[in-house]
Amino acid sequence: IPSLVSLVRSKGIYVLGMSETRRRSGIYDIGGGFTLIISQNEKFSFLGGTGFLLSPAATKAFHAGGNKLWYPGTGHISSGRYLEIQLATDEREAPMTIAVTYGPTMQSTMEVKEAFSDVVRSRIKAKRNYRDMTGLGDVTQDENPRPLPSSHFYIMIGDLNARVGRRDDTRDVEGARVGSVIGPYNFPDTNSNGEMMIDLAKSCNLRIVNTFFKHSEKETRTWRHGRGTWQVLDHVMCRSWCLRHVVDSRSRPAWAGYVDSDHNVISVT
């Protein structure tokens, strides 16, 4: 955690999302105005988990927004695959909702994969309940849950374990398949998880942000296989209208010294 705090502080990061946290669920004041939020499946604490490290500015926005977060699960037991927080923005603007994910691997069952997609789909298209974890265990829900308005800025980040390929407008079949949900700047290879992510993005009118910005191969790839090959498994997704507010998204290999992981940090501004 100290090295991640150093990363956030030195690079001016507002919110740092984390996948495969493998830490106990809770909201932790870790000093200096920083806040650590973890959602972990307590039954399988050695697997998965999602979390946020909030900068002092983001911590203030989290508190100003009512300390609202949501995770799928039963009671206090989280799935460990999706964690969502709401941050207050300028009072004239709608709140910002940020989600961090840990997508099912290729070896996961289709039931697990479909359940993950259903969770994301439900956050965009259905009614929502927020769970308030400020008491580190006390869970309450809004008495009048409401759909997330289309005006709310929504962005999702994380290890999706999905190779989504890239749009190739020179090929009619490929262009029609992916529509406008992905851009032309990505590795070309795909897998079945990637196909599901494309279908999810289409159904929710989301865009896979990192595929719309051209960078070098080093600043595109996100995960290093044990055999030494690189793939793009980590992604940023947002509502279609939110994309015009994004300035850049890229992999950050130069930040590897701050994290003990086979994944690169992926940034979005």
Side-chain angles (χ1 to χ4, degrees):
I1 297 302
S3 64
L4 295 181
V5 170
S6 296
L7 172 63
V8 171
R9 182 181 286 119
S10 65
K11 305 302 180 184
I13 296 172
Y14 186 59
V15 174
L16 180 68
M18 301 172 288
S19 302
E20 293 190 89
T21 51
R22 302 174 188 175
R23 300 176 68 92
R24 189 173 183 84
S25 295
I27 298 179
Y28 305 94
D29 178 352
I30 57 176
F34 292 87
T35 300
L36 180 67
I37 305 174
I38 299 292
S39 176
Q40 175 71 50
N41 187 324
E42 304 298 342
K43 290 185 177 180
F44 304 100
S45 58
F46 56 92
L47 294 174
T50 49
F52 289 105
L53 178 58
L54 306 185
S55 66
T59 294
K60 291 179 181 178
F62 179 60
H63 293 328
N67 301 308
K68 291 180 179 179
L69 60 79
W70 185 90
Y71 58 84
T74 303
H76 297 285
I77 304 300
S78 164
S79 71
R81 292 199 177 276
Y82 182 98
L83 174 62
E84 177 186 295
I85 60 173
Q86 188 178 106
L87 302 179
T89 56
D90 187 289
E91 62 183 23
R92 295 169 297 178
E93 300 178 359
M96 174 184 292
T97 298
I98 306 177
V100 61
T101 65
Y102 173 55
T105 65
M106 287 293 293
Q107 291 72 36
S108 298
T109 65
M110 184 55 65
E111 180 182 11
V112 169
K113 294 179 182 182
E114 290 178 347
F116 175 77
S117 293
D118 287 344
V119 164
V120 177
R121 195 172 285 112
S122 73
R123 307 328 304 148
I124 303 297
K125 304 178 73 171
K127 292 186 176 181
R128 57 208 285 111
N129 290 334
Y130 278 108
R131 293 188 171 124
D132 185 340
M133 289 177 56
T134 55
L136 300 182
D138 293 335
V139 177
T140 60
Q141 295 181 330
D142 288 345
E143 293 182 0
N144 299 301
R146 58 194 183 279
L148 177 65
S150 59
S151 61
H152 280 215
F153 193 102
Y154 175 87
I155 191 164
M156 183 176 77
I157 57 179
D159 176 7
L160 290 170
N161 283 303
R163 290 182 282 160
V164 300
R166 63 191 180 204
R167 186 175 73 238
D168 183 356
D169 292 331
T170 65
R171 296 167 56 193
D172 292 341
V173 173
E174 184 70 5
R177 182 182 70 82
V178 302
S180 57
V181 301
I182 66 174
Y185 307 118
N186 191 26
F187 286 14
D189 50 323
T190 62
N191 60 14
S192 58
N193 279 3
E195 299 286 345
M196 292 188 71
M197 284 301 103
I198 290 171
D199 289 342
L200 174 65
K202 280 185 171 182
S203 68
C204 295
N205 198 22
L206 299 174
R207 300 293 181 263
I208 304 177
V209 176
N210 47 298
T211 65
F212 286 88
F213 296 91
K214 186 177 182 179
H215 294 292
S216 67
E217 179 179 326
K218 287 185 178 181
E219 292 187 323
T220 300
R221 63 196 192 188
T222 69
W223 176 71
R224 187 175 187 272
H225 192 281
R227 294 192 297 267
T229 58
W230 284 88
Q231 298 177 3
V232 181
L233 300 182
D234 308 77
H235 301 284
V236 179
M237 301 175 73
C238 73
R239 282 178 157 162
S240 59
W241 70 265
C242 299
L243 184 59
R244 68 176 180 266
H245 297 285
V246 178
V247 176
D248 184 50
S249 181
R250 70 179 73 189
S251 178
R252 297 285 187 171
W255 297 358
Y258 292 96
V259 295
D260 181 16
S261 175
D262 51 1
H263 292 257
N264 286 343
V265 177
I266 184 169
S267 66
V268 58
T269 53

